[in-house]
Amino acid sequence: LANFVTLRKSDKKILDLCTGNAPVAMFLAMKSKASIVGVELQKEIYDLGKKSVIENGMDKQITLINDDIRNISKYYETDRKYDVVTCNPPYFKFNDTKMVNENKIKSIARHEIMCNLDNILEISKKMLRTGGVVALVYPVSRLIEIIYKMKENNILSFNFRVPSALRDEV
């Protein structure tokens, strides 16, 4: 994701939803001088990200928040603060008939148990400045749904890139 997101020199603030242990935030910090906020729900994963950010000397540029992404507004007085919103979300829809990893941490990271595409797009719309960029990673099989839901959320301009490793599958 960090290699495919469009960053502009004018970008000052980046929000990384579902940041996990902060790899996207850290890669973006190497490509930009922007202030980066990562939000991660799972305490164990957040702790790993916090440690990694500190050990790599990026704690002045990257701030991590351990909370549900739906609570992001409580940390700021105003919305529409970010130039870029990135998200490497849980890819798979959750239903009881699908096989879900028994490891709770992995199942929450991979399946839409605690957040879904609607949540991510609603938050992105609320937190993005006019003209901001949303960058998501999803399987191509969900592309039509993503386009539909982006339109539903008035996110009308976006870039779609297929990594070269996946181009034969599209």
Side-chain angles (χ1 to χ4, degrees), residues 79-98:
D79 298 335
R80 301 200 176 277
K81 294 182 70 75
Y82 292 92
D83 302 298
V84 178
V85 174
T86 60
C87 188
N88 188 359
Y91 301 140
F92 306 109
K93 290 187 177 198
F94 177 75
N95 65 45
D96 294 330
T97 60
K98 268 193 175 177

Side-chain angles (χ1 to χ4, degrees), residues 101-146:
N101 197 303
E102 290 179 24
N103 179 313
K104 184 178 178 183
I105 291 172
K106 289 181 180 177
S107 63
I108 289 172
R110 295 178 184 162
H111 296 272
E112 292 183 334
I113 296 170
M114 300 302 290
C115 77
N116 60 33
L117 178 60
D118 288 320
N119 302 138
I120 292 161
L121 293 176
E122 287 167 13
I123 293 159
S124 296
K125 175 66 176 167
K126 186 174 187 177
M127 299 310 290
L128 266 180
R129 291 179 191 216
T130 301
V133 174
V134 177
L136 309 172
V137 174
Y138 273 98
V140 172
S141 60
R142 294 194 65 188
L143 181 61
I144 300 301
E145 175 189 8
I146 291 165

